[in-house]
């Protein structure tokens, strides 16, 4: 993007249109040539912040058919939130001017599966993996309390919890959303068919799915 920024609605529509092209097997591969590389060398002006799981099957620029300089990407296992994540997202919104923050989760998430095992069977993990599990635990407990049993429902709950957590912990982000200057949405990605489904939105009036 250049100085003519897209608004939040246009930004989400651009991402979802790119995902449709990816699913259809007809990607355009925009902004991936030498000219684009030269254009953005002096400075970056991405149009969205993408906070997703570190899973190797979840490459944002590929599944949304975007290119160099389009997305400001932050990734952690299970898209768990720490201070570095909050700082990175706030940088993308306040310094780079991105109007949209996307939380991207997916089915068959190892972090969610490990957390369910820890909660249900008492299985434990060593090292800092345990910290990841502890941060996913509130989502798993909430899904269980709601009577959910399917993987898709647990994934959707974790995505919603992450969106809420970002707004609870970042005053800057919450204020931008309240002022209508930004939005935070949660998308659930299906590994097999490549679709990204909207499960929650804050700052945008758009229909969302109840489960994956």
């Amino acid at each position: 993007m250049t100085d003519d920024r897209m608004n939040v609605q246009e930004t989400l529509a651009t991402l979802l249109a790119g995902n449709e092209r990816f699913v259809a097997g007809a990607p355009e591969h925009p902004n991936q040539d030498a000219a684009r590389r030269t254009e953005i060398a002096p400075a970056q002006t991405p149009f969205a912040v993408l906070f997703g799981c570190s899973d190797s099957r979840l490459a944002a620029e590929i599944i949304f058919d975007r290119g160099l300089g389009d997305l400001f990407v932050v990734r952690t296992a299970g898209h768990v939130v720490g201070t570095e994540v909050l700082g990175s997202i706030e940088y993308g919104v306040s310094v780079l001017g991105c109007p949209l923050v996307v939380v991207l989760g997916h089915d068959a998430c190892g972090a969610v599966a490990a957390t369910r095992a820890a909660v249900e069977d008492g299985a434990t993990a060593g090292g800092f993996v345990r910290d990841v599990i502890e941060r996913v635990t509130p989502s798993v407990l909430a899904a269980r309390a709601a009577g959910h049993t399917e993987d898709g429902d647990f994934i959707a709950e974790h995505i919603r919890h992450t969106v809420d957590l970002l707004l609870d912990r970042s005053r800057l982000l919450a204020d931008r959303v309240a002022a209508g200057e930004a939005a935070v949405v949660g998308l659930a990605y299906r590994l097999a068919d490549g679709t990204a489904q909207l499960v929650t939105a804050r700052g945008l009036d758009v229909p969302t799915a109840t489960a994956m």
Side-chain angles (χ1 to χ4, degrees), residues 163-183:
V163 168
D164 291 344
L165 189 61
L166 291 180
L167 291 167
D168 287 344
R169 296 193 60 186
S170 172
R171 174 60 63 85
L172 183 150
L173 187 57
D175 287 348
R176 291 290 178 95
V177 171
E181 299 171 354

mmCIF file of all heavy atoms in Angstrom, residues 163-183:
data_model
loop_
_atom_site.group_PDB
_atom_site.id
_atom_site.type_symbol
_atom_site.label_atom_id
_atom_site.label_comp_id
_atom_site.label_asym_id
_atom_site.label_seq_id
_atom_site.Cartn_x
_atom_site.Cartn_y
_atom_site.Cartn_z
ATOM 1 N N VAL A 163 -8.557 -12.526 20.765
ATOM 2 C CA VAL A 163 -9.019 -11.199 20.353
ATOM 3 C C VAL A 163 -9.401 -10.370 21.585
ATOM 4 O O VAL A 163 -9.001 -9.202 21.720
ATOM 5 C CB VAL A 163 -10.217 -11.315 19.391
ATOM 6 C CG1 VAL A 163 -10.886 -9.949 19.183
ATOM 7 C CG2 VAL A 163 -9.768 -11.894 18.056
ATOM 8 N N ASP A 164 -10.156 -10.956 22.487
ATOM 9 C CA ASP A 164 -10.557 -10.253 23.707
ATOM 10 C C ASP A 164 -9.339 -9.870 24.547
ATOM 11 O O ASP A 164 -9.283 -8.772 25.115
ATOM 12 C CB ASP A 164 -11.496 -11.125 24.537
ATOM 13 C CG ASP A 164 -12.855 -11.317 23.895
ATOM 14 O OD1 ASP A 164 -13.196 -10.536 22.969
ATOM 15 O OD2 ASP A 164 -13.582 -12.242 24.304
ATOM 16 N N LEU A 165 -8.368 -10.778 24.612
ATOM 17 C CA LEU A 165 -7.172 -10.524 25.419
ATOM 18 C C LEU A 165 -6.361 -9.355 24.865
ATOM 19 O O LEU A 165 -5.856 -8.517 25.633
ATOM 20 C CB LEU A 165 -6.306 -11.784 25.472
ATOM 21 C CG LEU A 165 -5.117 -11.785 26.434
ATOM 22 C CD1 LEU A 165 -5.608 -11.606 27.875
ATOM 23 C CD2 LEU A 165 -4.328 -13.086 26.301
ATOM 24 N N LEU A 166 -6.238 -9.277 23.554
ATOM 25 C CA LEU A 166 -5.512 -8.159 22.948
ATOM 26 C C LEU A 166 -6.151 -6.827 23.331
ATOM 27 O O LEU A 166 -5.459 -5.865 23.681
ATOM 28 C CB LEU A 166 -5.487 -8.296 21.431
ATOM 29 C CG LEU A 166 -4.663 -9.428 20.836
ATOM 30 C CD1 LEU A 166 -4.763 -9.418 19.316
ATOM 31 C CD2 LEU A 166 -3.200 -9.340 21.262
ATOM 32 N N LEU A 167 -7.474 -6.777 23.273
ATOM 33 C CA LEU A 167 -8.167 -5.534 23.591
ATOM 34 C C LEU A 167 -8.177 -5.250 25.083
ATOM 35 O O LEU A 167 -8.178 -4.084 25.495
ATOM 36 C CB LEU A 167 -9.592 -5.599 23.045
ATOM 37 C CG LEU A 167 -9.670 -5.569 21.515
ATOM 38 C CD1 LEU A 167 -11.067 -5.945 21.045
ATOM 39 C CD2 LEU A 167 -9.287 -4.197 20.981
ATOM 40 N N ASP A 168 -8.172 -6.273 25.902
ATOM 41 C CA ASP A 168 -8.125 -6.087 27.350
ATOM 42 C C ASP A 168 -6.764 -5.565 27.800
ATOM 43 O O ASP A 168 -6.680 -4.731 28.713
ATOM 44 C CB ASP A 168 -8.421 -7.404 28.072
ATOM 45 C CG ASP A 168 -9.880 -7.797 27.994
ATOM 46 O OD1 ASP A 168 -10.713 -6.918 27.655
ATOM 47 O OD2 ASP A 168 -10.193 -8.974 28.252
ATOM 48 N N ARG A 169 -5.707 -6.049 27.168
ATOM 49 C CA ARG A 169 -4.352 -5.720 27.627
ATOM 50 C C ARG A 169 -3.738 -4.509 26.938
ATOM 51 O O ARG A 169 -2.821 -3.900 27.481
ATOM 52 C CB ARG A 169 -3.439 -6.934 27.464
ATOM 53 C CG ARG A 169 -3.841 -8.111 28.337
ATOM 54 C CD ARG A 169 -2.762 -9.160 28.383
ATOM 55 N NE ARG A 169 -1.518 -8.653 28.926
ATOM 56 C CZ ARG A 169 -0.368 -9.338 28.966
ATOM 57 N NH1 ARG A 169 -0.333 -10.571 28.476
ATOM 58 N NH2 ARG A 169 0.719 -8.810 29.462
ATOM 59 N N SER A 170 -4.193 -4.183 25.755
ATOM 60 C CA SER A 170 -3.633 -3.040 25.035
ATOM 61 C C SER A 170 -4.608 -1.872 25.044
ATOM 62 O O SER A 170 -5.595 -1.870 24.305
ATOM 63 C CB SER A 170 -3.299 -3.431 23.590
ATOM 64 O OG SER A 170 -2.931 -2.276 22.844
ATOM 65 N N ARG A 171 -4.322 -0.875 25.835
ATOM 66 C CA ARG A 171 -5.172 0.318 25.879
ATOM 67 C C ARG A 171 -5.136 1.038 24.534
ATOM 68 O O ARG A 171 -6.164 1.545 24.065
ATOM 69 C CB ARG A 171 -4.687 1.256 26.995
ATOM 70 C CG ARG A 171 -5.399 2.613 27.048
ATOM 71 C CD ARG A 171 -6.897 2.463 27.275
ATOM 72 N NE ARG A 171 -7.174 1.860 28.554
ATOM 73 C CZ ARG A 171 -7.249 2.540 29.702
ATOM 74 N NH1 ARG A 171 -7.057 3.852 29.708
ATOM 75 N NH2 ARG A 171 -7.506 1.910 30.820
ATOM 76 N N LEU A 172 -3.966 1.068 23.914
ATOM 77 C CA LEU A 172 -3.828 1.731 22.622
ATOM 78 C C LEU A 172 -4.752 1.094 21.591
ATOM 79 O O LEU A 172 -5.494 1.787 20.882
ATOM 80 C CB LEU A 172 -2.374 1.657 22.140
ATOM 81 C CG LEU A 172 -2.026 2.355 20.823
ATOM 82 C CD1 LEU A 172 -0.585 2.826 20.845
ATOM 83 C CD2 LEU A 172 -2.242 1.445 19.605
ATOM 84 N N LEU A 173 -4.746 -0.219 21.528
ATOM 85 C CA LEU A 173 -5.575 -0.921 20.552
ATOM 86 C C LEU A 173 -7.052 -0.747 20.870
ATOM 87 O O LEU A 173 -7.868 -0.487 19.967
ATOM 88 C CB LEU A 173 -5.197 -2.401 20.528
ATOM 89 C CG LEU A 173 -5.840 -3.270 19.446
ATOM 90 C CD1 LEU A 173 -5.548 -2.713 18.061
ATOM 91 C CD2 LEU A 173 -5.342 -4.703 19.570
ATOM 92 N N ALA A 174 -7.412 -0.870 22.134
ATOM 93 C CA ALA A 174 -8.808 -0.709 22.539
ATOM 94 C C ALA A 174 -9.320 0.687 22.208
ATOM 95 O O ALA A 174 -10.457 0.849 21.738
ATOM 96 C CB ALA A 174 -8.953 -0.995 24.026
ATOM 97 N N ASP A 175 -8.490 1.705 22.448
ATOM 98 C CA ASP A 175 -8.898 3.079 22.158
ATOM 99 C C ASP A 175 -9.083 3.295 20.653
ATOM 100 O O ASP A 175 -10.020 3.978 20.236
ATOM 101 C CB ASP A 175 -7.856 4.065 22.691
ATOM 102 C CG ASP A 175 -7.888 4.184 24.209
ATOM 103 O OD1 ASP A 175 -8.851 3.680 24.823
ATOM 104 O OD2 ASP A 175 -6.942 4.769 24.775
ATOM 105 N N ARG A 176 -8.205 2.705 19.847
ATOM 106 C CA ARG A 176 -8.337 2.849 18.390
ATOM 107 C C ARG A 176 -9.621 2.191 17.895
ATOM 108 O O ARG A 176 -10.302 2.725 17.022
ATOM 109 C CB ARG A 176 -7.121 2.221 17.699
ATOM 110 C CG ARG A 176 -5.795 2.963 17.909
ATOM 111 C CD ARG A 176 -5.767 4.289 17.169
ATOM 112 N NE ARG A 176 -4.532 5.012 17.396
ATOM 113 C CZ ARG A 176 -3.474 4.962 16.586
ATOM 114 N NH1 ARG A 176 -3.529 4.215 15.485
ATOM 115 N NH2 ARG A 176 -2.382 5.648 16.855
ATOM 116 N N VAL A 177 -9.937 1.032 18.452
ATOM 117 C CA VAL A 177 -11.161 0.340 18.056
ATOM 118 C C VAL A 177 -12.389 1.140 18.496
ATOM 119 O O VAL A 177 -13.346 1.311 17.737
ATOM 120 C CB VAL A 177 -11.203 -1.085 18.645
ATOM 121 C CG1 VAL A 177 -12.573 -1.731 18.433
ATOM 122 C CG2 VAL A 177 -10.112 -1.952 18.012
ATOM 123 N N ALA A 178 -12.365 1.655 19.724
ATOM 124 C CA ALA A 178 -13.496 2.434 20.238
ATOM 125 C C ALA A 178 -13.723 3.702 19.416
ATOM 126 O O ALA A 178 -14.869 4.153 19.257
ATOM 127 C CB ALA A 178 -13.254 2.789 21.705
ATOM 128 N N ALA A 179 -12.644 4.264 18.874
ATOM 129 C CA ALA A 179 -12.741 5.490 18.084
ATOM 130 C C ALA A 179 -13.102 5.211 16.628
ATOM 131 O O ALA A 179 -13.244 6.151 15.833
ATOM 132 C CB ALA A 179 -11.421 6.254 18.152
ATOM 133 N N GLY A 180 -13.232 3.954 16.278
ATOM 134 C CA GLY A 180 -13.557 3.600 14.901
ATOM 135 C C GLY A 180 -12.388 3.708 13.955
ATOM 136 O O GLY A 180 -12.561 3.747 12.734
ATOM 137 N N GLU A 181 -11.167 3.736 14.504
ATOM 138 C CA GLU A 181 -9.966 3.883 13.686
ATOM 139 C C GLU A 181 -9.294 2.552 13.388
ATOM 140 O O GLU A 181 -8.366 2.496 12.578
ATOM 141 C CB GLU A 181 -8.965 4.804 14.399
ATOM 142 C CG GLU A 181 -9.502 6.204 14.648
ATOM 143 C CD GLU A 181 -8.594 7.022 15.539
ATOM 144 O OE1 GLU A 181 -7.609 6.448 16.058
ATOM 145 O OE2 GLU A 181 -8.859 8.211 15.713
ATOM 146 N N ALA A 182 -9.746 1.484 14.033
ATOM 147 C CA ALA A 182 -9.136 0.169 13.831
ATOM 148 C C ALA A 182 -10.146 -0.903 14.189
ATOM 149 O O ALA A 182 -11.193 -0.626 14.793
ATOM 150 C CB ALA A 182 -7.874 0.017 14.693
ATOM 151 N N ALA A 183 -9.824 -2.118 13.816
ATOM 152 C CA ALA A 183 -10.677 -3.257 14.158
ATOM 153 C C ALA A 183 -9.786 -4.471 14.401
ATOM 154 O O ALA A 183 -8.657 -4.545 13.901
ATOM 155 C CB ALA A 183 -11.680 -3.547 13.050
#
